[in-house]
Amino acid sequence: MLGKTYDAQVCSIARALELIGERWSLLIVRDALFAGSTRYTDFQRSLGIATNILKSRLDGFVEAGIMVRHKQSEQPDVYQYLLTDKGRALAPALVALTEWGDQWVTATEPPILYTHSVCGGGITQHVVCEHCGQVHNPTEIQATIGPGMPPDYIRQRR
């Protein structure tokens, strides 16, 4: 979906950016997740996005398995764009991005709050160590080579 690819990057962040890294993409997913948008006209109305860009993003999401296109009615042909499990799994990333924006780029109180629909409690996103619990200092996070790293890439970096 991006004009530039990250083929030389062996990184899941780079791979994810290929699918959802364009700003309209995240806003479309946000509206589908949290505003209940499902129809082309819903997204176009709420975002004010150019129709050619919206079509391209929705088609890309369908192709990537982030959304499915479902015919809602025959006359006229109306389609819904529904998030798949893969698409809904972006919710924690969007909550984390919202929290970052609330802290670092919003001059007022948070404009949007996420709550648990079952009990009404606030929703937050945390980085958690599988042994110690929540990690409060990001400098304590280190990246290490994982099992999916190609051996050729490791040899090139030495």
Side-chain angles (χ1 to χ4, degrees):
M1 300 231 326
L2 296 174
K4 177 182 177 195
T5 62
Y6 298 99
D7 295 336
Q9 297 288 316
V10 181
C11 169
S12 294
I13 293 172
R15 291 178 191 146
L17 287 173
E18 287 294 319
L19 301 178
I20 59 159
E22 194 273 334
R23 75 176 181 143
W24 290 116
S25 296
L26 290 177
L27 296 176
I28 291 166
V29 173
R30 176 204 62 190
D31 283 7
L33 276 167
F34 304 122
S37 296
T38 60
R39 295 185 311 167
Y40 183 94
T41 55
D42 295 338
F43 295 112
Q44 213 289 316
R45 190 178 317 113
S46 71
L47 297 171
I49 183 174
T51 56
N52 62 323
I53 294 172
L54 178 57
K55 181 182 180 336
S56 173
R57 296 303 172 266
L58 291 173
D59 289 348
F61 285 163
V62 170
E63 184 179 321
I66 293 170
M67 288 182 155
V68 293
R69 186 174 183 228
H70 173 75
K71 191 173 236 182
Q72 186 178 8
S73 70
E74 297 289 333
Q75 295 293 337
D77 283 348
V78 176
Y79 293 92
Q80 290 183 303
Y81 292 87
L82 306 172
L83 290 168
T84 61
D85 289 344
K86 184 177 183 178
R88 287 186 295 275
L90 289 165
L94 291 180
V95 170
L97 189 58
T98 300
E99 289 179 353
W100 183 87
D102 289 345
Q103 181 174 354
W104 297 104
V105 296
T106 301
T108 62
E109 293 294 313
I112 301 290
L113 298 174
Y114 297 110
T115 58
H116 187 211
S117 64
V118 175
C119 72
I123 298 291
T124 61
Q125 186 61 32
H126 298 284
V127 176
V128 179
C129 171
E130 63 186 30
H131 297 288
C132 310
Q134 187 173 342
V135 177
H136 296 283
N137 185 348
T139 62
E140 295 174 357
I141 302 169
Q142 74 179 47
T144 59
I145 294 173
M149 181 65 71
D152 291 347
Y153 190 83
I154 296 169
R155 282 192 291 274
Q156 289 174 359
R157 299 292 180 209
R158 289 186 180 166

